Amino acid sequence: MTVAAPTVPIEDPHFYLADPWPTFDWMRREQPFYYYEPLDTFVLTRHADINAVTRRAAEFVSSRGLFLNDVKYADQAGGELLTDSFFPKGGEQVGTTDPPRHQELRRVIAPAFSPRALERMRGTLTGVVRDLVRGIGSGEVTDWIPAASAVPIVAATHLIGLPDTDVERVQHWSDELEKLGADLTFDELRAAATEFQGLQRYIVDSIEAKRRSPGGEDLLTVLLEAELDQKKVSEANVVMFAMTMLAAGSDTTRALLAGLVHELAQRPDQWQRLREDRSLVPLAIEETLRWVTPARAFLRTAVEDIELEGQLIREGQHVYLMYMAANRDETVFPDPYRFDVGRAESVKHLSFSSGAHVCAGSRLVRLEAPIVLNALLDEFSAVELAAPATPVVHIIRNSWTAMPVRFHR
């Protein structure tokens, strides 16, 4: 008797919160190219297969959508990506642009992420984090999520060259963008796109202010002075880059900073190990990125018939790169369900993807996270969960909406 393969509900956010790991183990072992028929999509769970796809960015393209909703609502969106409805007309999204244009766009924004530019903001960010951490009462129940949210927004506003702004307002815009990957109706997604336009107006106002007072190494200044196609970068692209960096970058870093505290609060031995040996901090960041995987998965589309490890993927079919499953691939990460701040191979995680589309903001994340973790280790001898954290219910985002903790001096 033939046993039918189980249905893997990749569009159900609750699947990811209800111990998906045995399913992912089975997929890697038995169905590494699991076919999800409703969206004509192959779900990839092995580290090597995902790497192979990301190295072939011209054949497995991003321009036909990164989210399952881009496929699900393709007909209702009327020929355009649902993602595009969130952004200004005429702007080019780095994440949904294919080579060679993708590299041209990254070249334009690269100076804003140079070591010199990032180092310039270290002092400011260190001061902000120090004040935030010192304001936490010893032994008091504290929700860590507002702090984890504030740090990346402050960092992004400085990097972009925006005036200090209301963290809650930017957080709202970030949450609206997050709805792109949520389990929502088409009308709900359209409403989120409309709400997200408030960020566009805010950035346009900031661009006008920057034109009146030019100078600096921030992203807006870099873009306003840069050339693309032998002419000045269009305002639509300037707005697009800034919107993406501020909104998309803040939620992933929030998830990482939340994950650091969540995992270390449950492992006092790992906390003490880090206090005694700060050289492990960078590896602890990478291990948390592996463990949390803030963005669980993204989509690619084949532009021609391609055979990958014996599996034929036809033109127009999609592959869903399940990074979270690949980050538990035992062929790359021995004993993958053990959280270890000293794990040397943690640097091989796919939480920033890989290949041409590796996250442009990864350097900024790796600047922010050690500042936060070192500040907490300096200030507190221990941390514990005061109550179970409340997870985000989402298809793509792995994070929390509340995390009651107690820090002890």
Side-chain angles (χ1 to χ4, degrees), residues 70-294:
D70 283 319
V71 177
K72 184 177 181 178
Y73 296 118
D75 291 339
Q76 288 172 265
E80 71 170 12
L81 282 183
L82 181 64
T83 301
D84 290 343
S85 65
F86 279 70
F87 294 99
K89 298 294 182 184
E92 297 173 277
Q93 250 266 50
V94 176
T96 56
T97 307
D98 302 320
R101 186 62 170 178
H102 177 76
Q103 286 87 344
E104 293 171 1
L105 296 177
R106 288 183 74 121
R107 174 187 55 78
V108 170
I109 65 174
F113 294 96
S114 69
R116 173 182 168 181
L118 293 178
E119 195 62 33
R120 179 180 54 83
M121 61 182 291
R122 180 184 294 276
T124 298
L125 191 58
T126 299
V128 168
V129 171
R130 182 186 61 241
D131 292 345
L132 186 154
V133 168
R134 289 178 178 174
I136 297 174
S138 180
E140 298 177 1
V141 176
T142 300
D143 184 0
W144 174 243
I145 296 302
S149 301
V151 171
I153 290 173
V154 170
T157 54
H158 279 81
L159 182 78
I160 295 168
L162 300 172
D164 291 338
T165 190
D166 183 348
V167 168
E168 290 186 3
R169 184 164 60 144
V170 176
Q171 184 64 62
H172 170 71
W173 287 323
S174 179
D175 290 343
E176 293 303 303
L177 182 62
E178 277 297 283
K179 291 179 180 178
L180 263 172
D183 183 23
L184 298 175
T185 66
F186 181 73
D187 288 341
E188 289 171 329
L189 290 164
R190 282 296 201 194
T194 299
E195 186 68 19
F196 188 61
Q197 298 311 308
L199 176 56
Q200 181 177 336
R201 292 188 290 272
Y202 167 66
I203 290 174
V204 168
D205 291 342
S206 299
I207 290 171
E208 292 306 315
K210 185 65 65 174
R211 283 182 172 134
R212 291 192 296 269
S213 301
E217 295 177 296
D218 56 78
L219 182 64
L220 288 183
T221 298
V222 166
L223 292 175
L224 290 172
E225 295 177 353
E227 289 190 352
L228 183 64
D229 304 324
Q230 299 181 324
K231 58 185 177 182
K232 291 292 185 181
V233 176
S234 69
E235 182 170 296
N237 268 344
V238 174
V239 173
M240 175 74 85
F241 294 149
M243 288 176 75
T244 303
M245 174 53 57
L246 188 57
S250 63
D251 55 6
T252 51
T253 309
R254 175 173 79 243
L256 166 61
L257 298 181
L260 275 169
V261 169
H262 188 261
E263 302 313 320
L264 291 171
Q266 299 174 80
R267 299 171 178 84
D269 60 319
Q270 301 277 294
W271 180 269
Q272 191 58 36
R273 187 180 175 192
L274 287 169
R275 292 196 86 207
E276 294 172 359
D277 185 359
R278 297 302 180 86
S279 70
L280 294 175
V281 164
L283 279 180
I285 303 303
E286 303 302 321
E287 177 71 343
T288 306
L289 283 163
R290 180 188 78 88
W291 192 265
V292 173
T293 316

Side-chain angles (χ1 to χ4, degrees), residues 333-344:
F333 309 102
D335 195 6
Y337 294 101
R338 176 174 57 87
F339 181 87
D340 179 5
V341 297
R343 180 188 292 275

Side-chain angles (χ1 to χ4, degrees), residues 1 7 35 51 63 90 117 147 152 304 313:
M1 182 177 69
T7 299
Y35 183 62
N51 259 331
S63 56
E304 59 187 59
I313 301 168

